[in-house]
């Protein structure tokens, strides 16, 4: 700490002093971001806990609930046809997964008609 | 009108023209600006930044045009005995440059970046934050090397200059500009140019390092799909990050504050117009002014020095060691998690968003075509933005006396 204070006040620096600054610097960045990571994990757990509690409290009465108009497919199944125009299957799969992830709608509730590669004009 | 008076008039016109006042340094810098314009327009080499920067170099090196003149002494010391003129007599670029000098432009750019950034992958996998921290290693290695090189008389970096050069390793243009404008404004031009040039060269710089430091088995690791992040988490994240970082390291507050404000505009769902402005019109306007004025700081007399070559070399070192830090930490996580983390995502911890994440994705697919590392790499990538801002905050705290 004394060394850091001396560096703070000094106009020049030796290589060992710069090594000290570098070590302290990288440790500060690591510690701060590790602290943030822990904070985010705790926050996620808390939000997850309260969300599940809220969902549990507002669970509708199974007898009173109306029958949904369209019954979704099981998570592992999908159906229908999809036109791929100049797009390979892995790319199409990735696009569908991204759309599902970004929209928050499970893949088995989404309907894709076609995926087409657009050329730059 | 006789012959002598015509000659006198022509001599007067010649003497007041730029041709009479041009120095060899101006000439070289004008040629440099032509090369940059060629690279930007023909080779599409970071054109959105390089065109304004290159034209700024051209503007500032036009002799007698005075676009960066400062007779009011707003930002430079007046010569002894000179009379201080009103502020509106300063060159137009000098006045716009006040936005760089005062940190307004880098902060507004950070707001735009925040409005464009999805922190979802980071929230889904908070360990990415550690990769973003480890990939700042290059900053500190370059700092040590710069101090060591400073013992060479022709170079002679002060600690403030060494810190400004080292921040190039953060791979973040606005951060590098902010630190350099505070600690070593005389070096802002070469530092900004080096930072943006290396960011454009990431697809060339990183892959050999990634390959050298990882085994084929590690590069083939498939990472499991990230969990879905709730809207509440995304809204709370910018607020929490700003409060935590600003309390721990207040000198990082301007950059992190504007980054998180932009992100809150994006995520809160009730400020779509503000988010749209921040990530489109505003960032474009500020980029024009920042790019042009940063280019205009590349004055021939200051730029063509041995120090500039040293900056270019140290910037490359900083970039390489930052990649090394990220990949090595990725390897550590690979070991700790029993092979669940692909070390290639570590290189994305340098903050160049989204270029570095794309490099991780491309390299990962070379060794395992079924591999989709992009979202995981984006987590490390956006963590790098926070990491470089924290590193900048530390350097400003240490050297911003």
């Amino acid at each position: 700490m004394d060394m850091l204070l001396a560096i703070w006040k000094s106009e020049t620096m030796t290589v060992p002093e710069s090594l000290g600054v570098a070590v302290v610097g990288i440790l500060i960045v690591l510690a701060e971001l590790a602290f943030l990571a822990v904070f985010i994990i705790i926050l996620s757990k808390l939000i997850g806990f309260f969300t599940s509690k809220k969902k549990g409290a507002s669970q509708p009465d199974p007898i009173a609930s109306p029958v949904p108009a369209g019954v979704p497919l099981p998570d592992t199944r999908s159906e229908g046809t999809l036109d791929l125009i100049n797009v390979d299957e892995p790319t199409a799969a990735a696009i569908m997964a991204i759309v599902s992830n970004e929209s928050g709608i499970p893949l088995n509730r989404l309907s894709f008609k076609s995926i087409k590669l657009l050329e730059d004009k | 009108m006789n012959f002598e008076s015509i000659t006198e008039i022509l001599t007067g016109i010649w003497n007041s023209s730029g041709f009479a006042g041009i120095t060899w340094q101006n000439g070289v810098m004008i040629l440099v600006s032509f090369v940059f314009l060629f690279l930007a327009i023909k080779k599409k080499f970071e054109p959105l930044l390089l065109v304004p920067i290159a034209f700024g170099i051209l503007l500032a090196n036009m002799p007698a045009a005075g676009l960066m003149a400062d007779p009011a002494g707003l930002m430079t010391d007046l010569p002894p005995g000179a009379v201080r003129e009103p502020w509106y007599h300063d060159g137009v670029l000098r006045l716009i440059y006040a936005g760089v000098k005062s940190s307004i432009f880098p902060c507004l750019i950070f707001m735009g970046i925040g409005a464009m950034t999805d922190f979802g992958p980071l929230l889904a996998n908070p360990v990415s934050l550690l990769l973003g921290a480890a990939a700042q290693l290059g900053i500190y290695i370059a700092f040590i090397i710069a101090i060591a090189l400073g013992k060479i008389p022709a170079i002679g970096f002060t600690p403030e200059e060494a810190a400004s050069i080292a921040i190039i390793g953060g791979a973040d243009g606005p951060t590098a500009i902010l630190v350099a404008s505070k600690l070593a404004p005389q070096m802002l031009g070469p530092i900004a140019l080096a930072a943006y040039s290396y960011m454009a060269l990431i697809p060339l710089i990183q892959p050999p390092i990634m390959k050298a430091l990882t085994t084929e088995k590690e590069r083939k690791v498939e990472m499991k799909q990230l969990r879905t992040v709730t809207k509440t988490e995304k809204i709370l994240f910018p607020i929490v990050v700003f409060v935590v970082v600003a309390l721990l390291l207040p000198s990082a507050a301007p950059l992190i504050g504007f980054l998180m404000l932009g992100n809150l505009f994006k995520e809160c769902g009730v400020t779509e117009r503000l988010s749209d402005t921040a990530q489109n019109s505003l960032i474009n306007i500020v980029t024009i002014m920042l790019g042009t004025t940063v280019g205009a700081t590349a004055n021939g007399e200051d730029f063509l020095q041995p120090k500039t070559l040293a900056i270019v070399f140290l910037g490359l070192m900083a970039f390489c060691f930052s990649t090394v830090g990220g990949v090595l930490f990725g390897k550590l996580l690979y070991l700790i998690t029993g092979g669940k983390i692909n070390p290639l995502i570590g290189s994305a911890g340098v903050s160049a968003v989204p270029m570095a994440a794309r490099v991780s994705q491309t390299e990962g697919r070379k060794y395992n075509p079924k591999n989709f590392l992009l979202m995981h790499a984006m987590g490390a990538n956006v963590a790098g933005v926070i990491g470089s801002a924290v590193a900048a905050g530390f350097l400003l705290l240490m050297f911003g006396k």
Side-chain angles (χ1 to χ4, degrees):
Chain A
M1 191 52 79
D2 288 346
M3 188 184 89
L4 275 177
L5 281 173
I7 291 166
W8 201 341
K9 290 172 187 165
S10 163
E11 295 296 318
T12 55
M13 188 178 284
T14 63
V15 174
E17 283 171 342
S18 70
L19 190 66
V21 171
V23 171
V24 174
I26 193 81
L27 285 178
I28 284 181
V29 178
L30 268 170
E32 189 144 346
L33 269 67
F35 184 73
L36 267 178
V38 173
F39 215 89
I40 289 168
I41 291 168
I42 294 169
L43 195 71
S44 303
K45 300 265 183 225
L46 280 174
I47 291 170
F49 173 73
F50 285 115
T51 312
S52 61
K53 213 174 166 185
K54 209 174 163 185
K55 266 187 186 168
S58 62
Q59 194 80 8
D61 184 357
I63 300 162
S65 65
V67 178
V71 180
L73 293 165
D75 281 350
T76 51
R77 281 198 53 207
S78 60
E79 64 177 29
T81 56
L82 169 65
D83 293 331
L84 298 182
I85 303 158
N86 294 334
V87 178
D88 59 14
E89 282 185 11
T91 309
I95 291 167
M96 290 191 285
I98 291 166
V99 171
S100 168
N101 187 45
E102 289 294 313
S103 62
I105 304 167
L107 263 176
N108 60 336
R109 299 288 302 270
L110 281 171
S111 170
F112 291 88
K113 302 283 182 203
S114 69
I115 299 177
K116 182 182 175 184
L117 176 71
L118 295 174
E119 300 291 345
D120 284 339
K121 298 276 182 226
Chain B
M1 187 177 279
N2 59 20
F3 180 73
E4 273 103 41
S5 52
I6 293 171
T7 316
E8 210 171 295
I9 290 167
L10 289 175
T11 311
I13 290 171
W14 171 261
N15 286 340
S16 63
S17 75
F19 290 109
I22 197 163
T23 61
W24 71 268
Q25 290 100 331
N26 291 142
V28 171
M29 290 313 293
I30 289 169
L31 289 177
V32 168
S33 76
F34 291 162
V35 172
F36 282 153
L37 283 171
F38 172 78
L39 289 173
I41 297 166
K42 184 74 181 166
K43 302 284 178 191
K44 296 194 167 44
F45 196 85
E46 290 275 324
L48 297 180
L49 279 162
L50 208 51
V51 169
I53 288 177
F55 211 83
I57 297 173
L58 184 62
L59 290 169
N61 284 283
M62 280 296 147
L67 288 160
M68 278 294 269
D70 187 18
L74 295 179
M75 286 166 239
T76 51
D77 294 329
L78 289 176
V83 180
R84 188 179 296 275
E85 294 189 28
W87 65 269
Y88 46 81
H89 284 186
D90 269 14
V92 65
L93 287 179
R94 175 64 66 184
L95 292 174
I96 300 174
Y97 182 64
V100 177
K101 192 82 178 161
S102 60
S103 314
I104 294 172
F105 293 164
C107 287
L108 290 178
I109 295 254
F110 250 58
M111 187 165 74
I113 294 170
M116 284 190 267
T117 304
D118 177 11
F119 284 102
L122 176 69
L123 286 162
N125 185 15
V127 175
S128 311
L129 274 163
L130 298 178
L131 291 169
Q136 308 308 316
L137 177 73
I139 294 176
Y140 300 102
I141 301 277
F143 176 73
I144 298 167
I145 300 173
I147 291 290
L149 281 179
K151 307 300 165 200
I152 301 168
I155 297 173
F157 292 123
T158 64
E160 290 80 8
E161 288 172 339
S164 304
I165 298 164
I167 200 70
I168 297 172
D172 196 316
T175 306
I177 288 169
L178 184 131
V179 173
S181 66
K182 297 265 184 207
L183 300 182
Q186 70 282 6
M187 286 186 170
L188 182 58
I191 287 173
L193 281 174
Y196 282 114
S197 305
Y198 290 135
M199 277 161 66
L201 290 173
I202 272 185
L204 296 177
I205 296 172
Q206 287 196 319
I209 299 169
M210 294 159 80
K211 195 175 172 188
L213 293 177
T214 52
T215 63
E216 191 156 346
K217 190 183 165 197
E218 288 168 342
R219 293 194 287 268
K220 282 183 172 172
V221 169
E222 282 180 44
M223 292 179 70
K224 68 171 186 176
Q225 203 185 340
L226 294 169
R227 75 175 173 87
T228 308
V229 176
T230 63
K231 187 87 187 155
T232 316
E233 284 174 272
K234 285 188 172 183
I235 293 172
L236 285 176
F237 177 77
I239 302 166
V240 168
V241 168
F242 172 66
V243 171
V244 171
V245 174
L247 287 176
L248 287 175
L249 198 58
S251 49
L255 285 179
I256 292 287
F258 276 86
L259 180 75
M260 294 303 156
L261 174 62
N263 191 247
L264 188 62
F265 286 156
K266 176 182 185 286
E267 300 296 353
C268 70
V270 290
T271 53
E272 275 154 26
R273 280 166 49 195
L274 302 187
S275 169
D276 178 53
T277 303
Q279 62 180 285
N280 293 300
S281 343
L282 184 60
I283 201 168
N284 289 340
I285 292 167
V286 176
T287 301
I288 293 169
M289 294 197 279
L290 180 115
T292 313
T293 50
V294 163
T297 59
N299 173 280
E301 280 79 15
D302 302 330
F303 200 86
L304 298 172
Q305 302 280 340
K307 278 186 174 184
T308 305
L309 278 179
I311 291 168
V312 171
F313 165 74
L314 286 166
L316 182 62
M317 287 293 103
F319 246 77
C320 292
F321 278 108
S322 285
T323 307
V324 168
V327 175
L328 289 182
F329 203 86
K331 280 173 80 83
L332 181 67
L333 291 178
Y334 169 84
L335 290 172
I336 292 170
T337 59
K340 285 181 186 162
I341 289 186
N342 189 322
L344 291 181
I345 67 166
S347 64
V350 302
S351 74
V353 181
M355 194 106 70
R358 271 197 228 136
V359 170
S360 298
Q361 160 72 9
T362 311
E363 290 304 302
R365 282 201 78 177
K366 270 187 198 166
Y367 299 95
N368 180 357
K370 288 189 289 176
N371 224 345
F372 281 96
L373 296 175
L374 187 64
M375 293 312 277
H376 301 279
M378 277 306 290
N381 212 185
V382 295
V385 178
I386 301 173
S388 62
V390 172
F394 170 75
L395 293 175
L396 288 172
L397 177 75
M398 282 301 298
F399 303 109
K401 294 168 201 171

